[in-house]
Amino acid sequence: MKTDPGQDEIKTVRQTIFHYRMIEPGDRVVVAVSGGPDSVCLLDILFRLRHELKVELVVAHLDHGLRPDVDASETRFVGDLAESLSLPFVTRKTEAHLTLETASLEEKARDLRYAFLRSVKAEQAAQKIATGHTLDDQAETVLMRLIRGSGSSGLAGIPPVRNQTMIRPLIDLTRDAVREYLSAQGLSFLTDASNKDPTYLRNHIRLNLIPGLKAIQPNVVEHLGRTAELMRAEKTYLAQEAARWLARWTPAGKGRDVRFPLDQFKALPEAISRHVVRQALLAAGGTLRRVSLVHIEAVEHMADGEKPQTSLTLPNGVWAIRRYGILHFTTGKPGDPADYSQRIDGPGQWRVKGLGVVIRLEEVQGLAVSE
């Protein structure tokens, strides 16, 4: 039985922050608060730790404009919460005109939310953005990506820290622990009715799949979180090996235009070659959004195929092109390879600009050619 309600949850969050080095003394942190239980818990714990962590907090809330009947009251709730803690409050209503019938609604709403948070970070001269993702969100993400056919990179789940700015201090807390904390502290929160809609895959996993798995293994959420942690460590190592390989074999100064020798790529272990493709796609397209295992496998299939010249269209406007001994990743439709030629005047070392390689020609005496 707990003698000091809420201290276990605060201790867990403190350990998470220090373990992943989420916050540095003097940081200004934008806290994303929707008004739901996770974000209210996040704000309260960070507020209690603010002096120990030596941080300043800013509360940020985006009105997506999806539910006119409740959006205004949610904004008032979060604003009142920020005022009760004497914290700066920034809110904005999106101008994207989303509706519940908008295609890929979850993805578009997420993109708008993160764009808003990044803008608040810049306006407030902040260093970090904190979101209320929990261990249950981690477990749901792992299952969702497994169902959709993800590789080990996808199974790494939600990173506790992304790009050294996006932090998830609640990532080691279960949703049940969050509710216990809110109850112990007597904190109010809002409930989003859309979280009960099973037509969204994440909600279906949350409402149906995980309860069924818990009947078999009560600690399934913790086990899935541990799986994500292990996959993340392996992903980090393999990504480092892939980066070293690319630094060796990719010509310098190409920016978002990535190319490397096919033979060297095909000699790589499959685990590393997939990370090479991921990093090439990221460099060329600027993001890995919508890139899945099927796209990476398609590139590998093209590399192993018999056609010396072929290409693939991939997400984010990226083309993967095979031209004889080169794999090339770029944006924009590739031109006809027959349009390119380069004169080579004789023996020596020559840079072939169109392929991004250097070739060496030598004259060899004493070879006979039979007819």
Side-chain angles (χ1 to χ4, degrees):
M1 184 175 182
K2 293 182 181 180
T3 57
D4 197 350
Q7 288 306 303
D8 286 350
E9 290 79 17
I10 293 174
K11 179 181 178 181
T12 297
V13 172
R14 181 190 291 112
Q15 290 174 338
T16 300
I17 289 172
F18 286 123
H19 176 71
Y20 293 107
R21 299 179 180 178
M22 292 182 170
I23 295 173
E24 297 294 332
D27 276 352
R28 192 170 176 86
V29 182
V30 175
V31 186
V33 182
S34 66
D38 301 341
S39 64
V40 170
C41 175
L42 171 68
L43 179 61
D44 192 76
I45 291 179
L46 289 180
F47 183 78
R48 292 172 186 271
L49 292 174
R50 72 193 187 285
H51 295 309
E52 177 184 343
L53 298 173
K54 298 180 174 61
V55 297
E56 296 180 1
L57 305 177
V58 177
V59 179
H61 174 80
L62 179 65
D63 177 353
H64 290 95
L66 287 168
R67 300 158 301 160
D69 54 332
V70 298
D71 285 342
S73 61
E74 284 185 354
T75 301
R76 285 194 300 271
F77 174 86
V78 179
D80 290 344
L81 180 59
E83 184 179 4
S84 71
L85 300 174
S86 300
L87 294 176
F89 175 55
V90 181
T91 185
R92 195 169 301 153
K93 186 171 183 177
T94 181
E95 299 178 356
H97 305 296
L98 296 178
T99 69
L100 294 175
E101 289 73 37
T102 300
S104 305
L105 175 62
E106 284 183 292
E107 183 176 344
K108 292 181 184 300
R110 182 178 62 247
D111 289 344
L112 288 170
R113 185 163 58 252
Y114 282 119
F116 163 69
L117 293 172
R118 288 191 296 270
S119 70
V120 175
K121 174 179 172 289
E123 293 164 6
Q124 296 290 321
Q127 287 73 42
K128 304 291 167 59
I129 298 169
T131 64
H133 292 90
T134 66
L135 189 59
D136 287 72
D137 292 307
Q138 183 74 282
E140 292 160 9
T141 298
V142 171
L143 288 173
M144 185 166 63
R145 292 179 179 176
L146 185 63
I147 289 168
R148 287 175 170 171
S150 179
S152 58
S153 294
L155 298 183
I158 303 169
V161 179
R162 184 188 293 278
N163 298 329
Q164 298 181 323
T165 57
M166 188 74 64
I167 62 174
R168 279 85 183 218
L170 304 188
I171 200 66
D172 292 326
L173 274 188
T174 64
R175 198 168 287 133
D176 287 342
V178 166
R179 297 298 180 113
E180 288 178 14
Y181 179 84
L182 295 172
S183 177
Q185 303 299 334
L187 294 170
S188 300
F189 57 87
L190 303 175
T191 301
D192 186 348
S194 66
N195 289 335
K196 300 294 183 181
D197 184 353
T199 58
Y200 296 114
L201 177 57
R202 182 177 289 275
N203 287 350
H204 182 70
I205 290 170
R206 177 184 302 161
L207 299 172
N208 301 311
L209 182 55
I210 287 184
L213 292 173
K214 281 185 175 181
I216 302 170
Q217 170 50 263
N219 296 321
V220 66
V221 168
E222 289 81 359
H223 290 338
L224 287 169
R226 178 60 177 160
T227 296
E229 185 178 353
L230 294 172
M231 291 294 100
R232 194 161 52 248
E234 294 184 8
K235 172 186 174 182
T236 299
Y237 171 75
L238 293 172
Q240 290 171 345
E241 291 297 304
R244 277 193 281 268
W245 187 91
L246 280 167
R248 178 181 179 186
W249 293 105
T250 302
K254 291 294 182 180
R256 294 180 68 172
D257 192 74
V258 181
R259 60 186 75 198
F260 45 76
L262 180 62
D263 286 346
Q264 296 296 332
F265 173 74
K266 291 170 69 173
L268 283 170
E270 185 176 6
I272 296 178
S273 69
R274 289 184 174 180
H275 280 271
V276 167
V277 174
R278 280 176 56 85
Q279 292 188 25
L281 292 174
L282 175 61
T287 179
L288 287 174
R289 182 66 59 82
R290 293 179 291 276
V291 173
S292 67
L293 181 60
V294 67
H295 300 115
I296 294 172
E297 289 179 334
V299 173
E300 292 186 320
H301 180 73
M302 180 180 71
D304 289 332
E306 296 181 356
K307 292 183 179 180
Q309 298 188 87
T310 185
S311 62
L312 288 171
T313 56
L314 297 163
N316 310 310
V318 176
W319 284 78
I321 308 158
R322 174 178 173 174
R323 287 188 181 170
Y324 296 100
I326 297 295
L327 272 184
H328 181 192
F329 298 82
T330 187
T331 53
K333 188 174 181 180
D336 185 347
D339 292 340
Y340 175 79
S341 65
Q342 180 171 325
R343 181 186 176 106
I344 296 177
D345 293 323
Q349 185 166 290
W350 301 88
R351 176 172 293 278
V352 184
K353 296 180 180 179
L355 297 178
V357 299
V358 175
I359 63 173
R360 179 178 297 165
L361 297 181
E362 295 181 6
E363 236 179 89
V364 180
Q365 300 294 329
L367 291 181
V369 178
S370 61
E371 297 183 357

